[in-house]
Amino acid sequence: MSEGGGDGLGPVLAWVLDRSHDASALDLAGVIDEAAGRAGIGSTRLFLADVQQSRLVPLPQPGGLGPPAPAGFDIEGSLAGLAYRTQRVQLSRDRSTVWFPMVDGIERVGVMQASVSGPAADRMAAGRALASLATLLVVSQSSHNDLLVRHQRTSPMSLQAELLWAFLPPRTIGTTEATSAAMLEPAYDIGGDAFDHTFIDGVLHVTMLDAMGHDLASGGASAAAVAACRSTRRSGGALPDIVTTIDRTLARWIPDRLMTGVVAELDTHHGDFSWINCGHPPPLLIRDGHVLPRALERDAELPLGLGFHDQEPPARHHVRLQPGDRVLIHSDGVTEARSPDGDLYGEDRLTDTVIRSLASGHNAPEALRRLVQQLLAHQEHRLRDDATILLAEWHPNASATPATPASSDAPPAARHVRA
């Protein structure tokens, strides 16, 4: 190796960190490329996934360094896309190009292409480390640098979509005990749907909201509801407090907008799942590759925005999950999506698509990405309503004590999805 070889990879990564303090977004790709040369890896290029996760778009390098970058790669049907989809390093047949996944926590960001002279173990290890560091730098600058944001978009974004995306968290979060992944379409023109998820002291909190309408007022209502949820949650409020605060906020400030929603939390140590449903489609419980019918179906509360929850706290429901269980929450824009000939997408097709994808070995974010691609194809890429899906998985590590479903809340027998 060159400069980084004798003393190991550490000095190269330290050099990148030092350069990153005053490097602009336009400089990032060049900094990583120079670091790759110092580490003996070869030349590199960074590719970021677009908002809809259908393309990998190249991040420009300053001064036109190196050969011209390709226009990008489809996530389906390319080696670069395979590295992104599987989050595993991919090596070209001629062993001259390596694709390293760029992952922030467990949120997929893009891929790093590296031209190498061979798959030596030290180069592979250095490439993984450099791709991870490049990811952190991209994510840290994405909040305040429009160059990175623009390169993740292939279409203009509506005003209400811009408002909502500014409030939304990463689409995928996770720990060794649980994972939550979400997708939202139409990505460039969302109106009133929104989601939120976070971890708090061993508890996974998830929220899905669906505001009436598909305009800026709908986006504003959902943004206000997400803010009310976070404010209450971060102040130590429980699920009923969150629902009451959202209801009160909408009734006072946006009185002409109703909203349905599910607010839930999962104790990731014991598998206790609690939720409140305010006029929303009931969550679905997936166990051992089957949907348990009506397992999470309870009498729904009134929608949010009427002010009734401020008078009487909503009912909170509870079940005990088993390790490996998944909870699927969706907006009605998914199941009520119609093809041009009037065919409803429906709940069976929704669960069948997710279960088959998971059974094929895809992780939660990839299963949802594939679901959204199928949903878009079903409506010929012209969604008439927002479609939001969130999949929460409980996968306690080996040291966790397996949970046993409480007899009073045990779900009924499973029904099989279509063969």
Side-chain angles (χ1 to χ4, degrees):
M1 290 191 199
S2 54
E3 184 175 325
D7 299 326
L9 183 61
V12 177
L13 299 183
W15 176 84
V16 174
L17 287 173
D18 184 63
R19 282 283 290 111
S20 70
H21 295 309
D22 56 7
S24 69
L26 184 60
D27 297 328
L28 282 183
V31 170
I32 297 301
D33 183 57
E34 184 174 345
R38 291 172 176 242
I41 299 173
S43 62
T44 61
R45 286 193 181 277
L46 304 181
F47 294 79
L48 305 183
D50 74 319
V51 174
Q52 292 182 301
Q53 297 183 84
S54 60
R55 292 277 295 172
L56 291 164
V57 184
L59 191 63
Q61 291 184 281
L65 295 175
F73 300 93
D74 288 333
I75 288 179
E76 293 288 346
S78 69
L79 198 58
L82 182 62
Y84 177 85
R85 298 194 311 269
T86 63
Q87 298 176 225
R88 295 178 181 174
V89 176
Q90 302 296 327
L91 181 66
S92 64
R93 286 188 177 182
D94 62 6
R95 309 178 78 82
S96 64
T97 303
V98 184
W99 296 97
F100 295 95
M102 297 173 61
V103 183
D104 177 35
I106 60 173
E107 167 81 336
R108 302 177 297 183
V109 174
V111 294
M112 183 183 80
Q113 178 191 34
S115 300
V116 298
S117 57
D122 56 350
R123 292 190 182 93
M124 300 296 276
R128 289 190 184 94
L130 194 57
S132 295
L133 185 53
T135 306
L136 294 177
L137 297 181
V138 166
V139 171
S140 69
Q141 291 215 14
S142 294
S143 63
H144 58 272
N145 197 298
D146 280 357
L147 174 69
L148 296 173
V149 175
R150 287 206 315 266
H151 273 80
Q152 292 179 289
R153 297 182 181 182
T154 57
S155 299
M157 190 166 282
S158 68
L159 189 56
Q160 63 264 28
E162 193 76 61
L163 173 65
L164 278 176
W165 278 113
F167 274 81
L168 296 180
R171 284 174 292 200
T172 307
I173 62 173
T175 66
T176 55
E177 285 78 30
T179 299
S180 179
M183 289 287 289
L184 196 157
E185 285 287 346
Y188 295 99
D189 191 32
I190 54 176
D193 278 15
F195 70 88
D196 195 23
H197 49 196
T198 190
F199 286 97
I200 313 170
D201 296 331
V203 174
L204 169 63
H205 177 99
V206 299
T207 295
M208 182 173 292
L209 303 167
D210 183 357
M212 178 183 67
H214 191 89
D215 53 18
L216 183 57
S218 301
S222 291
V226 170
C229 172
R230 291 174 179 172
S231 174
T232 307
R233 186 180 71 217
R234 292 166 180 172
S235 299
L239 295 184
D241 302 317
I242 293 172
V243 170
T244 299
T245 303
I246 294 175
D247 190 47
R248 184 189 306 128
T249 300
L250 295 177
R252 179 178 180 184
W253 298 109
I254 316 176
D256 60 340
R257 294 287 165 163
L258 298 183
M259 177 183 297
T260 67
V262 172
V263 182
E265 60 186 19
L266 169 64
D267 181 333
T268 62
H269 299 309
H270 304 98
D272 294 319
F273 182 74
S274 303
W275 78 102
I276 297 173
N277 185 349
C278 297
H280 203 78
L284 302 171
L285 179 57
I286 300 173
R287 176 175 296 163
D288 297 329
H290 309 101
V291 176
L292 304 189
R294 300 178 300 281
L296 305 181
E297 188 173 327
R298 305 290 188 272
D299 291 338
E301 301 289 327
L302 289 170
L304 300 159
L306 295 170
F308 290 133
H309 298 301
D310 201 20
Q311 304 169 17
E312 183 177 348
R316 171 174 171 163
H317 307 293
H318 166 87
V319 296
R320 180 72 66 85
L321 301 184
Q322 292 182 1
D325 279 357
R326 300 175 172 99
V327 176
L328 183 67
I329 307 174
H330 64 89
S331 65
D332 58 11
V334 179
T335 52
E336 295 178 7
R338 289 183 180 273
S339 66
D341 60 5
D343 180 29
L344 279 174
Y345 194 76
E347 183 180 299
D348 284 347
R349 194 172 341 215
L350 162 65
T351 54
D352 181 66
T353 302
V354 172
I355 290 172
R356 287 180 182 275
S357 187
L358 293 169
S360 298
H362 300 124
N363 57 22
E366 179 60 20
L368 293 193
R369 190 190 71 85
R370 288 171 175 270
L371 168 65
V372 166
Q373 295 301 313
Q374 187 180 105
L375 182 67
L376 289 170
H378 181 76
Q379 286 199 289
E380 295 187 347
H381 295 266
R382 291 191 297 271
L383 294 181
R384 298 171 180 83
D385 191 11
D386 292 346
T388 306
I389 312 104
L390 186 147
L391 183 65
E393 298 182 88
W394 186 47
H395 44 76
N397 57 29
S399 63
T401 302
T404 302
S407 57
S408 60
D409 276 324
R415 66 173 167 85
H416 290 260
V417 296
R418 297 196 309 262

